[in-house]
Structure formats: structure tokens, C-alpha cells
């Protein structure tokens, strides 16, 4: 489930600043004049706080959801008596107010259409988005850009939708990874979770251990590690065209789990997570090897250049001595 704070879903902040109150919750003269036609101050206040909140959030909030600081600010701005409270406690009355607010803001209350737009946007983005919060943000962006000004669905609706779509897409991508593997490769990857005789840990635990600092003195050990990791299989081929964000997310999940926890995960997700972790480890080990060789070659090149300069200097001195006239000659 996505955290509300990690998404762009509009919400009331716990602390509403003076600037935000002034910019977004101050009724205009036209809005005040229109709502003043109501005979009771409580109804005027209810309509105004609902109107300004809906304009800010893109959805019509119930009066009870609107922070007291917003209510007080609106009340003071329209010069209502201290102690005036929004009157919209009855369900039927508040629903009429909600309809009036939507009409004045031209906000379309079409839950089915809004959910369809959000789902289409999420499904299009799900193959390359790794987190539920990202899918929620994609849906919000599409809803805001929609030609009809649709009222935003509840956050819980978008969150459940994103979780379901992400699970479906993840399952499909995991199946695709495993489908590219031979039976022998699947058995070999599954065996990484077992401790073979004579070893004290599984290969799964071993590849997660950070290698020692890549220095030339440890180059042989580093190459041996690379050969052992590469010998587990062509993880890059198995991963295929799976988006890098998905590979990274699955690998990170595998990295923080123990062998026992991995065994509790159902197939094909367990194998896919292991493969993604293996692909990342193989890439890192190869990169470290290239860096070590590059540094070594750079050091040799620097020494060779220094020796060449020294040779050129000696050659120049010798040439000058040969060309110099003999002493005592005119």
C-alpha cells in the first residue's frame, strides 16, 4: 500500500500555513456575494468552506473533514460572528451543498469514468514503474489533464487499484523472466538457496555479501569471485527487457530477505527476485574488475610517460654534448 505522503494526492496538511490560507482559502467578493443569499450564517460558512476546499483539492470534502483553521479563516474573511459554525450536519443537506459546489466549480462527479481514466493510466505506466505511489501519481496527472474536469476518486480507491495493477504486472514480468530460463538454469538458481555440503552458507547469502575493496593486490580473488558469479548463469539474458526500475526493485527485495524468508515466497516470483539480484551482482563485479584494470593501466601509462620523458632528456643532453665544439677551438 502506498503512503499518502509519498504521493501527489491533494490533502489538507496537518499545519496549514498563513500563506496557503491566504492564497487558496480566501473567498472572492463574488463568491461571498453569491453565498450571502442564504438566510443563515452557518449555511453561508458551510458552502464557502466546501467551495474553497474543493477548488484546492479537486474533490468535495465533507464539512467534518475540513480543518478548523480553514473554517476560522473563511469565517473571519467574510466577517461572520465568532462562534458561527458550518451548518451541514444532516446528510441530505450536506449532499445538496456538495452538488452545488460541484456545479459552481464545473467539477464532474463521475466515479466510474474517473476510475476508468485512472486505471488506463496506471496500466500504461505499470511496466516501468516500480512503486505503488508512482502509479497513483501517474493516475492523478492524467485525471488533472483530462478534458473533463473529473472529481478525484478517494485516495483509498486509487491505492487499492494501484496495488492490484502492480501485482498483476509484477506477476507477468516474473513469469516472463522464468520463461527465458532452461530447466537446468531454474534448478541452479533454486539451489542458490541451499547450503551445499562443505560450505557454511548458501550462494544466495554469499552473493549478497559486499566484496572487499577492489585493489590490485586482491585482483586474483576478485576475478575468482567474478568467474563464480558468472558461472551461475546468464542473468542479463534471463532478465531480458524487464525495465531497470523493476529489476532494481525485485533485487532490493531479495537483498533484504533471508534464505528462510525467500523460501516462503511463491514461484515464479522467488526465482525472478533471485535472478534480478544475481544480474545486479554480476554487473557490479564486472564494473569493479574493469575499474581495477583501468586504474592499473593508468598507473603503468603514467610510469611509461615519465620514463619516456627521462629518456628524451638524456638523449637531448647527449646530443648537445656531441654537437658542442671541442674545448680550446676558435
Amino acid at each position: 500500500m502506498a503512503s499518502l505522503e509519498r504521493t501527489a494526492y491533494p490533502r489538507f496538511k496537518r499545519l496549514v500555513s498563513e500563506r496557503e490560507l491566504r492564497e487558496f482559502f480566501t473567498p472572492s467578493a463574488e463568491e461571498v456575494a453569491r453565498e450571502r443569499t442564504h438566510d443563515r450564517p452557518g449555511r453561508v460558512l458551510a458552502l464557502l468552506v466546501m467551495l474553497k476546499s474543493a477548488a484546492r483539492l479537486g474533490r468535495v470534502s465533507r464539512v467534518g473533514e475540513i480543518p478548523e483553521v480553514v473554517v476560522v479563516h473563511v469565517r473571519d474573511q467574510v466577517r461572520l460572528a465568532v462562534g458561527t459554525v458550518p451548518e451541514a450536519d444532516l446528510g441530505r443537506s450536506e449532499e445538496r451543498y456538495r452538488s452545488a459546489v460541484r456545479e459552481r466549480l464545473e467539477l464532474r462527479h463521475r466515479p466510474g469514468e474517473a476510475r476508468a481514466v485512472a486505471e488506463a493510466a496506471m496500466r500504461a505506466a505499470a511496466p516501468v514503474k516500480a512503486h505503488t505511489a508512482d502509479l497513483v501519481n501517474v493516475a492523478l496527472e492524467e485525471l488533472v489533464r483530462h478534458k473533463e474536469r473529473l472529481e478525484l476518486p478517494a485516495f483509498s480507491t486509487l491505492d487499492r487499484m494501484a496495488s492490484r495493477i502492480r501485482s498483476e504486472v509484477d506477476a507477468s514480468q516474473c513469469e516472463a523472466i522464468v520463461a527465458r530460463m532452461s530447466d537446468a538454469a531454474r534448478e541452479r538458481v533454486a539451489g542458490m538457496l541451499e547450503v551445499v555440503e562443505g560450505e557454511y552458507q548458501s550462494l544466495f547469502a554469499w552473493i549478497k555479501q559486499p566484496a572487499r575493496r577492489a585493489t590490485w593486490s586482491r585482483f586474483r580473488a576478485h576475478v575468482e569471485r567474478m568467474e563464480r558469479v558468472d558461472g551461475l548463469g546468464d542473468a542479463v539474458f534471463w532478465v531480458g527487457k524487464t525495465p531497470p526500475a523493476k529489476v532494481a526493485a525485485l533485487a532490493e527485495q531479495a537483498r533484504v530477505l533471508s534464505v528462510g524468508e525467500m523460501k516462503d515466497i511463491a514461484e515464479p516470483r522467488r526465482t525472478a527476485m533471485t535472478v534480478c539480484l544475481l544480474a545486479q551482482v554480476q554487473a557490479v563485479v564486472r564494473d569493479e574488475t574493469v575499474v581495477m584494470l583501468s586504474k592499473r593501466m593508468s598507473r603503468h601509462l603514467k610510469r611509461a610517460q615519465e620514463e619516456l620523458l627521462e629518456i628524451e632528456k638524456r638523449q637531448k643532453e647527449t646530443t648537445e654534448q656531441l654537437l658542442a665544439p671541442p674545448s680550446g677551438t676558435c
Side-chain angles (χ1 to χ4, degrees):
M1 305 295 282
S3 169
L4 176 61
E5 288 72 20
R6 292 186 57 195
T7 71
Y9 192 84
R11 64 190 185 277
F12 289 113
K13 298 178 181 178
R14 281 183 291 183
L15 295 176
V16 184
S17 67
E18 288 292 335
R19 183 189 63 81
E20 188 173 4
L21 288 171
R22 185 171 57 255
E23 291 184 7
F24 301 109
F25 296 102
T26 299
S28 66
E30 180 184 355
E31 290 168 340
V32 174
R34 182 174 54 200
E35 306 309 338
R36 282 287 192 185
T37 59
H38 292 275
D39 56 346
R40 297 175 61 173
R43 293 179 180 178
V44 174
L45 183 57
L47 274 168
L48 285 174
V49 295
M50 292 175 71
L51 181 70
K52 301 310 293 183
S53 298
R56 175 61 171 156
L57 303 182
R59 55 187 172 84
V60 183
S61 303
R62 296 188 179 279
V63 171
E65 300 171 348
I66 300 173
E68 181 65 20
V69 65
V70 173
V71 175
V72 171
H73 175 77
V74 173
R75 186 193 66 199
D76 292 346
Q77 291 298 309
V78 296
R79 294 182 173 82
L80 294 175
V82 176
T84 303
V85 295
E87 293 183 13
D89 297 330
L90 297 177
R92 180 180 298 180
S93 176
E94 184 166 2
E95 190 56 41
R96 287 201 306 270
Y97 289 177
R98 290 160 67 87
S99 298
V101 168
R102 292 184 182 113
E103 181 179 351
R104 288 164 190 174
L105 294 176
E106 297 183 349
L107 198 60
R108 308 288 185 250
H109 182 58
R110 300 172 185 169
E113 183 178 350
R115 288 195 296 270
V117 170
E119 181 167 356
M122 287 183 185
R123 288 196 178 280
V128 296
K129 297 293 185 181
H131 303 290
T132 304
D134 296 332
L135 295 181
V136 172
N137 288 338
V138 167
L140 290 172
E141 183 178 354
E142 187 62 29
L143 286 167
V144 170
R145 293 189 308 184
H146 197 265
K147 59 182 180 180
E148 298 282 352
R149 193 180 179 193
L150 297 174
E151 183 173 358
L152 297 180
F155 175 77
S156 58
T157 299
L158 295 178
D159 190 29
R160 287 194 299 269
M161 184 186 297
S163 297
R164 172 173 54 82
I165 291 174
R166 192 191 69 168
S167 296
E168 293 173 1
V169 172
D170 279 0
S172 175
Q173 291 177 327
C174 289
E175 290 171 359
I177 290 173
V178 175
R180 283 188 283 268
M181 303 171 66
S182 65
D183 292 341
R186 286 195 288 269
E187 291 179 5
R188 189 162 60 252
V189 170
M192 290 175 60
L193 299 176
E194 306 296 334
V195 179
V196 299
E197 186 176 354
E199 298 287 344
Y200 68 92
Q201 65 178 351
S202 66
L203 277 173
F204 177 77
W206 176 75
I207 67 171
K208 291 198 298 181
Q209 291 180 345
R212 299 178 66 186
R213 185 169 175 268
T215 61
W216 186 251
S217 61
R218 303 192 187 107
F219 181 72
R220 184 180 298 277
H222 199 81
V223 170
E224 291 175 354
R225 177 181 174 86
M226 182 180 68
E227 291 175 348
R228 189 179 182 187
V229 169
D230 285 345
L232 295 173
D234 190 354
V236 173
F237 171 75
W238 299 336
V239 167
K241 295 184 179 180
T242 307
K246 286 288 186 181
V247 175
L250 290 171
E252 187 58 30
Q253 292 173 31
R255 194 180 300 277
V256 300
L257 296 179
S258 65
V259 170
E261 291 169 330
M262 285 291 291
K263 289 182 177 180
D264 291 337
I265 297 175
E267 292 288 5
R269 186 177 182 83
R270 179 174 63 209
T271 296
M273 289 171 59
T274 308
V275 166
C276 289
L277 176 62
L278 179 59
Q280 281 202 340
V281 171
Q282 287 177 342
V284 169
V285 172
R286 292 187 191 119
D287 289 346
E288 289 176 345
T289 303
V290 171
V291 169
M292 291 169 65
L293 287 173
S294 298
K295 288 182 177 179
R296 189 66 174 180
M297 293 302 296
S298 177
R299 190 175 297 115
H300 282 305
L301 178 61
K302 183 177 180 180
R303 289 177 180 174
Q305 289 174 336
E306 291 173 351
E307 290 180 6
L308 178 60
L309 290 174
E310 185 63 29
I311 292 172
E312 290 176 347
K313 180 180 178 182
R314 291 199 300 268
Q315 289 284 11
K316 183 178 180 181
E317 292 175 351
T318 301
T319 302
E320 290 176 349
Q321 291 176 1
L322 292 173
L323 296 177
S327 58
T329 60
C330 298

